[in-house]
């Protein structure tokens, strides 16, 4: 996975458009698009700005791009490369749109699926 794919996945998870993130970073959307598609490598300053806008760090972006987990101090904040897959990003977006009571119900359904799968 290249750094652009990581940036795109994190941007998409946040629900930001290219234009929104580009504005936060101080670049234009076409430049950010080229970075996300791997056609252009971001400069050090742009990469730092992107990481800050995504509430991440440059080290975390590179770790994810290299396919490694990145722990930011606690087990609950560990990020795994599979967490950036399109389905996982979409799942998190749907989950966040649920009310707290439906989030709890969705979590129980997933726990039940995992237990049922383990028994198979």
């Amino acid at each position: 996975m290249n750094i652009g794919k990581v940036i795109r996945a994190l941007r998409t998870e946040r629900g930001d458009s290219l234009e929104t993130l580009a504005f936060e970073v101080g670049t234009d959307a076409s430049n950010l698009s080229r970075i996300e598609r791997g056609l252009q490598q971001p400069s050090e300053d742009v990469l730092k700005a992107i990481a800050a806008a995504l509430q991440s760090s440059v080290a975390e972006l590179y770790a994810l791009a290299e396919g490694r987990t990145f722990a930011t101090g606690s087990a609950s904040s560990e990020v795994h490369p599979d967490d950036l897959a399109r389905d996982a990003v979409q799942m998190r977006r749907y989950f966040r749109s649920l009310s707290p009571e439906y989030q709890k119900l969705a979590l129980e359904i997933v726990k039940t699926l995992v237990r049922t799968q383990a028994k198979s």
Side-chain angles (χ1 to χ4, degrees):
M1 178 179 280
N2 68 42
I3 196 90
K5 288 181 181 180
V6 171
I7 292 167
R8 177 182 289 154
L10 293 175
R11 175 184 60 78
T12 304
E13 180 180 332
R14 282 180 24 148
D16 287 348
S17 67
L18 272 169
E19 291 79 11
T20 301
L21 183 60
F23 180 76
E24 284 184 53
V25 170
T27 190
D28 58 282
S30 61
N31 185 42
L32 184 58
S33 175
R34 286 189 298 276
I35 291 168
E36 286 187 351
R37 289 180 289 141
L39 301 176
Q40 174 181 323
Q41 289 299 311
S43 69
E44 183 179 339
D45 290 338
V46 169
L47 188 57
K48 286 178 183 177
I50 290 170
L54 294 172
Q55 299 174 343
S56 185
S57 68
V58 173
E60 184 174 6
L61 296 179
Y62 276 116
L64 292 168
E66 292 172 5
R68 298 181 316 196
T69 59
F70 187 88
T72 57
S74 69
S76 63
S77 64
E78 192 171 295
V79 179
H80 189 275
D82 291 341
D83 295 340
L84 300 176
R86 182 173 292 182
D87 291 341
V89 170
Q90 186 176 22
M91 179 76 85
R92 284 190 299 277
R93 185 179 302 144
Y94 285 141
F95 183 81
R96 287 189 192 115
S97 70
L98 297 172
S99 68
E101 59 192 33
Y102 280 114
Q103 285 181 353
K104 186 176 179 179
L105 180 60
L107 186 57
E108 290 304 317
I109 290 169
V110 171
K111 286 178 183 178
T112 301
L113 287 170
V114 169
R115 284 191 301 267
T116 302
Q117 177 178 290
K119 292 179 183 178
S120 300

